[in-house]
Amino acid sequence: QKEVEQNSGPLSVPEGAIASLNCTYSDRGSQSFFWYRQYSGKSPELIMFIYSNGDKEDGRFTAQLNKASQYVSLLIRDSQPSDSATYLCAVNAGSGNTGKLIFGQGTTLQVKP
Amino acid sequence: NAGVTQTPKFQVLKTGQSMTLQCAQDMNHNSMYWYRQDPGMGLRLIYYSASEGTTDKGEVPNGYNVSRLNKREFSLRLESAAPSQTSVYFCASSQGRVQPQHFGDGTRLSIL
């Protein structure tokens, strides 16, 4: 069974701090990695995607990928109360590039003013 | 620009009833997906359509059928609803198989 693991949290950080969210995956053939933000009662919203090893930055968000260690992380700089949400890690289901995504159960982030 | 539109937003069914959830996207995307989200279980893929004219099973296909009506529309049908199918259903679409998926607002379905 291909798996994506996240710490469910809650992860609590003060406003202005860096929030670090982590995700590990089991399928070494996975090639596409995504972070979604989901507010309570709402649909998942794409935050970042990354395909290559290393870092990818977009505003306050940085995605980091290490395929050798099979982990992907999301850093949120200058965290704001509006960042409080559940963050879902998603990984494509390996070989064949089917488009099938495996989601982790999500990490709840709380940013305290 | 509506993106991915799902109808209805809420529905209550009785056990054994049937219904179809509708999904349409206006982004000219090739691939479309149906997920369900349950507390403690995360998002799980029910069915997907990599391109117009093709459909394939995902992780939890039992009790569901799908139709890719055209490039824009992908419907999910429950033939005989069961309480275990109470969930929030999300439709998503993507330009290609490895590209980001964009989600609709969801359908909250309760089966009594």
Side-chain angles (χ1 to χ4, degrees), chain B residues 83-97:
Chain B
S84 61
Q85 294 177 305
T86 293
S87 189
V88 180
Y89 291 85
F90 290 104
C91 177
S93 70
S94 66
Q95 181 59 47
R97 299 177 186 184

Side-chain angles (χ1 to χ4, degrees), chain B residues 66-87:
Chain B
V66 291
S67 295
R68 183 75 183 265
L69 304 172
N70 47 56
K71 190 173 185 178
R72 291 186 63 248
E73 298 172 287
F74 189 39
S75 63
L76 178 72
R77 183 163 178 83
L78 287 71
E79 290 291 353
S80 178
S84 61
Q85 294 177 305
T86 293
S87 189

Side-chain angles (χ1 to χ4, degrees), chain A residues 22-107:
Chain A
N22 299 309
C23 171
T24 59
Y25 60 95
S26 63
D27 187 354
R28 285 195 170 275
S30 297
Q31 299 181 30
S32 307
F33 307 86
F34 306 90
W35 283 100
Y36 288 85
R37 176 175 64 197
Q38 188 174 27
Y39 293 113
S40 181
K42 301 296 186 181
S43 62
E45 173 192 8
L46 180 71
I47 297 296
M48 293 284 291
F49 61 93
I50 187 167
Y51 300 140
S52 303
N53 275 331
D55 295 0
K56 179 181 178 181
E57 185 175 320
D58 184 1
R60 296 187 297 113
F61 299 96
T62 299
Q64 299 175 318
L65 175 61
N66 184 323
K67 289 185 179 180
S69 300
Q70 295 177 248
Y71 83 79
V72 56
S73 62
L74 179 69
L75 301 178
I76 306 175
R77 291 181 298 281
D78 188 23
S79 295
Q80 301 297 309
S82 59
D83 294 327
S84 298
T86 297
Y87 289 80
L88 304 172
C89 173
V91 177
N92 86 302
S95 60
N97 292 330
T98 62
K100 295 167 67 173
L101 290 184
I102 306 297
F103 281 82
Q105 294 197 23
T107 297

Side-chain angles (χ1 to χ4, degrees), chain B residues 19-25 30-34 46-57 64-79 91-92:
Chain B
M19 81 162 295
T20 300
L21 308 184
Q22 306 288 351
C23 175
Q25 53 90 10
N30 292 309
S31 302
M32 299 185 73
Y33 312 84
W34 276 105
I46 305 171
Y47 270 94
Y48 68 103
S49 172
S51 60
E52 186 179 357
T54 67
T55 60
D56 283 289
K57 296 178 180 179
Y64 305 95
N65 286 301
V66 291
S67 295
R68 183 75 183 265
L69 304 172
N70 47 56
K71 190 173 185 178
R72 291 186 63 248
E73 298 172 287
F74 189 39
S75 63
L76 178 72
R77 183 163 178 83
L78 287 71
E79 290 291 353
C91 177

